[in-house]
Amino acid sequence: MPDNGPYSEYSDQRDPDAFWAAIRPADEPLRHRWFLPVVVAILVVSVPWYLPSAIGDRLALGLPVWTWITILCGLLLAVVTAFASLRLWRDGGTGEQAQNPERGAGGKDEA
Amino acid sequence: MNSSVPEVTFGPGALLVLGGYLVVMLGLGFLGRLHQKERSLRDFYLGGSTFGFAVLFLTLFATQYSGNTLLGFAGRSYVQGTTYIVSITFMILVITVFMIYAPRLFHLARRFGYITPTDFVYHRFGSHPLRILCVVLLCWGLANYVLEQLVAMGHGVEAISGGRMTFMQGVLLLVGVMLIYESLGGMRAVAWTDAVQGSLLLCGCAVILYTLVTADGGLAAAAEGIRTTAPEKLEAPDARGLRTWVSTLLMLGLGVALYPHAIQRIFAAKGEKSLRRSLAAMGFMPLATTLLAFLIGFIALSRFPGLSQLESDKVTIYVLGGLIDRSPVMYWLIVMVFAAVVAAIMSTADSALLSMGSMFTKDIYKNYFRREASAREMLIVGKTFAWGVMAILILMAWVSLETESSIWVLIELKLEFMVQLSPVFMLGVYWRRMPAAAVLAGMVLGTLLTLVIWCGAAFDVWATRSPWGVGAGVWGLLVNYGICVGWTVLRPAKLPPTVPA
């Protein structure tokens, strides 16, 4: 699919079969089975439910030690998200934009 | 006002910077108008879908990080203490949630030419009541979102002008400039101003970070101060706090990912590469902006203990204002930071307003009032609608000032309802057998449950709007998802939805 190809505006023209035929990009993060479990695992670790009470308000670099766990989990989640966006998502359009008949009401809605 | 907070005086230099900034914004509005290729909704509301990586990333960034991030989040961090570190996780989670539905939505939008998020909703489900309910809930959320920005605008200009301008004068000045450039250039002007505003915001955050970790003993001194004034705010959350943590993750992670103006930026991307790179970069931004807001609240806890809820919204102003007299360099750095705060506020408000205008004209006016309306007529209606909504919101901002409403209350009202659209997108793009009736029933009952819990607390029928530490909106969302899944399993759609005759 070419970037910035001309196309019209959606105008209530529905063809469910065309909709579902067109819905799958060439690749997407959820098609990779590890993606969602890894995200959930990071989130579970980021919530400080497992801390021993002895940790109290002990500090590291001016912040409580337990907050660093959450910050590092945040960094890890950002890395996984960036990887998913850059490597696990491929739209795969091949220029059908310009020829596709289901695109809309037919031509631009000119003033 | 608490006696320990500094009197912040920015001097005439700050007004000069603010004035120059507003002139640049107006110039970009005119430039956007000159670059308009045609009078179509796509050109006005999506900038003709021509945004490459730099503009797309900066407009996403400036839109996502609002006045609320720099003022409201810092205030919340001050009130809640270190447990508000959850804000970093939920802002990153927003981008992770995009990874679930954005690839499919972008693919569909490219092929079928969506302008608004509700174009997808009608295309997928073919239900008029569902489309109208989605528009109402999204506009409700956006209106509160803009209102929150107006309150932040008032505080920001009041601070930067050193009291020379009142809260309402600040609101009227910024709204006036915003409406002019938005009406002139639409999304193109908004995105270009966002690019300037996003750059300012990034530089501003770098300045704040440097200042916070170097001045007055940095974080270590602040932590020791908190140990003396409010030691409980250094502790990890207890059992109820943990439930609130998870509830906050769900509500904000899922809710913010449904902001219609953010979804429309997916539609406005020049191509998939620009979008994928922009979202990848956006995932790291909370580690700069949200973390900074958290640190500002953290430092304010040690320096200005005992602030009221309303005053807590101004801790960013207090913390940075306390540094302004140290040197001329510091003065101009802090002034730049406040210009960035004002920029963040305006960029979020203009995007939300544009999105509301697009949904009203495209989804409601065109479909239910005048099907034969031309693009020119719809653009005029959209702009008129935006100006009218803004007039009402300015009045509400004034009321909120008089009643001492805190910014955080406004955010909760926004997301509690918006998050009810989550199954529409998250399940809607994957589960073909999920019927419109299931989604509609889930949304209606989820929203009603949220309202009941919220109103019960507001009228003192029960003590809290977060039973068991879980927010009203999350209870509504659980019911909502339960109905969608249960209904679909028991009575799945036999055929794809069809267009009503």
Side-chain angles (χ1 to χ4, degrees), chain A residues 18-19 24 29 37 45 47-49 51 59 62 66 68 74 80 88 97 104-105:
Chain A
F19 175 93
R24 283 165 68 96
V45 176
V47 184
W49 54 272
L51 294 175
L59 301 176
W66 63 269
W68 285 108
V80 169
L88 307 182
Q97 191 75 51

Side-chain angles (χ1 to χ4, degrees), chain B residues 291-308:
Chain B
L291 178 62
L292 282 177
F294 168 79
L295 292 179
I296 289 170
F298 185 77
I299 286 176
L301 258 175
S302 69
R303 294 188 192 164
F304 316 114
L307 297 182
S308 68

Side-chain angles (χ1 to χ4, degrees), chain A residues 1-5 7-31 35-36 39 43 46-51 55-59 61-64 66-68 70-71 73-75 77-79 81-87 89-93 96-97 100-104 108-111, chain B residues 38-42 48-50 82-83 85 88-89 92-93 95-96 99-100 102-104 106-108 110-115 119-120 122-126 131 219-220 223-224 227 234-237 242 245 249 267 270-272 275-277 279-280 283-284 287 291 294-295 298 362 366-367 371 373 375-376 428-432 496-499:
Chain A
M1 184 186 309
D3 273 358
N4 193 23
Y7 47 94
S8 65
E9 293 159 2
Y10 173 74
S11 185
D12 277 10
Q13 291 192 340
R14 298 186 64 248
D15 178 350
D17 288 331
F19 175 93
W20 286 103
I23 201 164
R24 283 165 68 96
D27 197 8
E28 56 190 326
L30 276 203
R31 239 178 271 172
F35 175 71
L36 213 49
V39 167
L43 291 175
S46 78
V47 184
W49 54 272
Y50 47 82
L51 294 175
I55 200 161
D57 61 354
R58 222 178 297 163
L59 301 176
L61 300 172
L63 288 175
W66 63 269
T67 60
W68 285 108
T70 302
I71 292 170
C73 284
L75 178 63
L77 186 60
V79 169
T81 302
F83 181 80
S85 189
L86 296 173
R87 296 297 174 91
W89 171 3
R90 197 159 46 82
D91 195 62
E96 74 269 63
Q97 191 75 51
N100 174 31
E102 295 99 17
R103 280 187 289 114
K108 287 183 178 62
D109 195 1
E110 295 288 346
Chain B
E38 61 197 17
R39 280 189 182 171
S40 71
L41 295 186
R42 172 166 301 280
S49 295
T50 56
T82 41
T83 56
I85 196 78
I88 294 170
T89 320
I92 298 171
L93 184 60
I95 308 300
T96 314
M99 291 302 114
I100 295 174
R104 292 192 170 207
F106 174 75
H107 197 62
L108 290 168
R110 285 265 125 174
R111 173 134 188 197
F112 297 103
Y114 299 154
I115 303 289
D119 276 343
F120 159 77
Y122 185 76
H123 196 191
R124 161 65 179 84
F125 293 101
R131 167 157 68 184
L219 297 179
E224 289 309 320
R227 269 210 176 114
L234 288 176
E235 289 171 8
L242 287 172
W245 184 301
L249 269 184
F267 300 166
K270 186 178 179 184
E272 62 158 313
L275 180 60
R276 290 192 287 108
R277 287 175 185 165
L279 290 177
F284 292 93
L287 293 162
L291 178 62
F294 168 79
L295 292 179
F298 185 77
K362 180 78 169 54
K366 170 86 173 170
N367 288 304
R371 292 196 74 87
R376 185 171 183 275
V429 292
Y430 288 100
W431 208 359
R432 189 172 186 175
T498 53
V499 187

Side-chain angles (χ1 to χ4, degrees), chain B residues 355-430:
Chain B
S355 189
M356 262 193 288
S358 69
M359 283 191 287
F360 176 75
T361 45
K362 180 78 169 54
D363 299 310
I364 302 297
Y365 183 78
K366 170 86 173 170
N367 288 304
Y368 303 113
F369 290 95
R370 267 176 62 84
R371 292 196 74 87
E372 69 279 13
S374 68
R376 185 171 183 275
E377 178 183 336
M378 286 164 71
L379 290 174
I380 291 170
V381 169
K383 290 175 190 176
T384 310
F385 177 79
W387 284 67
V389 167
M390 193 49 96
I392 295 168
L393 292 177
I394 288 172
L395 188 67
M396 289 173 68
W398 178 74
V399 170
S400 80
L401 180 73
E402 295 298 303
T403 55
E404 295 217 335
S405 169
S406 150
I407 284 180
W408 183 249
V409 175
L410 303 177
I411 303 170
E412 286 180 331
L413 276 168
K414 168 187 67 185
L415 282 173
E416 299 270 342
F417 294 116
M418 271 177 131
V419 77
Q420 304 307 326
L421 271 83
S422 176
V424 176
F425 289 89
M426 301 284 281
L427 299 181
V429 292
Y430 288 100

Side-chain angles (χ1 to χ4, degrees), chain B residues 66-381:
Chain B
S66 58
N68 177 57
T69 314
L70 292 168
L71 298 176
F73 277 26
R76 187 68 180 174
S77 165
Y78 176 90
V79 171
Q80 194 172 313
T82 41
T83 56
Y84 200 61
I85 196 78
V86 67
S87 57
I88 294 170
T89 320
F90 70 62
M91 288 305 280
I92 298 171
L93 184 60
V94 169
I95 308 300
T96 314
V97 169
F98 276 137
M99 291 302 114
I100 295 174
Y101 76 84
R104 292 192 170 207
L105 193 61
F106 174 75
H107 197 62
L108 290 168
R110 285 265 125 174
R111 173 134 188 197
F112 297 103
Y114 299 154
I115 303 289
T116 66
T118 28
D119 276 343
F120 159 77
V121 175
Y122 185 76
H123 196 191
R124 161 65 179 84
F125 293 101
S127 163
H128 291 286
L130 184 62
R131 167 157 68 184
I132 293 169
L133 181 62
C134 286
V135 170
V136 168
L137 287 180
L138 289 175
C139 282
W140 170 279
L142 284 178
N144 273 335
Y145 198 51
V146 175
L147 178 58
E148 170 193 295
Q149 304 310 313
L150 295 185
V151 173
M153 276 179 196
H155 289 319
V157 174
E158 206 177 17
I160 211 166
S161 69
R164 292 181 186 86
M165 293 180 75
T166 63
F167 177 92
M168 282 311 292
Q169 285 171 338
V171 170
L172 291 171
L173 174 70
L174 297 196
V175 165
V177 171
M178 199 181 79
L179 283 176
I180 290 171
Y181 73 66
E182 179 169 309
S183 298
L184 281 171
M187 172 71 110
R188 194 171 278 107
V190 166
W192 287 354
T193 53
D194 279 356
V196 174
Q197 292 156 347
S199 307
L200 258 180
L201 191 57
L202 271 174
C203 296
C205 286
V207 172
I208 298 175
L209 181 62
Y210 171 77
T211 310
L212 286 184
V213 296
T214 55
D216 296 331
L219 297 179
E224 289 309 320
I226 297 170
R227 269 210 176 114
T228 312
T229 56
E232 73 282 359
K233 292 192 173 173
L234 288 176
E235 289 171 8
D238 57 10
R240 184 184 171 86
L242 287 172
R243 291 193 294 271
T244 304
W245 184 301
V246 175
S247 163
T248 307
L249 269 184
L250 283 174
M251 192 168 77
L252 282 104
L254 292 174
V256 175
L258 294 171
Y259 280 160
H261 47 296
I263 292 175
Q264 284 182 300
R265 274 155 178 75
I266 294 175
F267 300 166
K270 186 178 179 184
E272 62 158 313
K273 277 185 187 168
S274 313
L275 180 60
R276 290 192 287 108
R277 287 175 185 165
S278 299
L279 290 177
M282 280 292 293
F284 292 93
M285 290 303 105
L287 293 162
T289 43
T290 318
L291 178 62
L292 282 177
F294 168 79
L295 292 179
I296 289 170
F298 185 77
I299 286 176
L301 258 175
S302 69
R303 294 188 192 164
F304 316 114
L307 297 182
S308 68
Q309 182 82 10
L310 184 68
E311 283 178 323
S312 71
D313 287 340
K314 299 180 185 171
V315 293
T316 304
I317 297 167
Y318 296 152
V319 168
L320 298 179
L323 303 169
I324 205 160
D325 293 329
R326 300 201 172 184
S327 71
V329 174
M330 187 61 80
Y331 171 82
W332 286 107
L333 287 178
I334 301 284
V335 164
M336 197 185 83
V337 168
F338 276 92
V341 171
V342 171
I345 295 166
M346 289 180 75
S347 62
T348 302
D350 59 22
S351 306
L353 197 66
L354 196 69
S355 189
M356 262 193 288
S358 69
M359 283 191 287
F360 176 75
T361 45
K362 180 78 169 54
D363 299 310
I364 302 297
Y365 183 78
K366 170 86 173 170
N367 288 304
Y368 303 113
F369 290 95
R370 267 176 62 84
R371 292 196 74 87
E372 69 279 13
S374 68
R376 185 171 183 275
E377 178 183 336
M378 286 164 71
L379 290 174
I380 291 170
V381 169

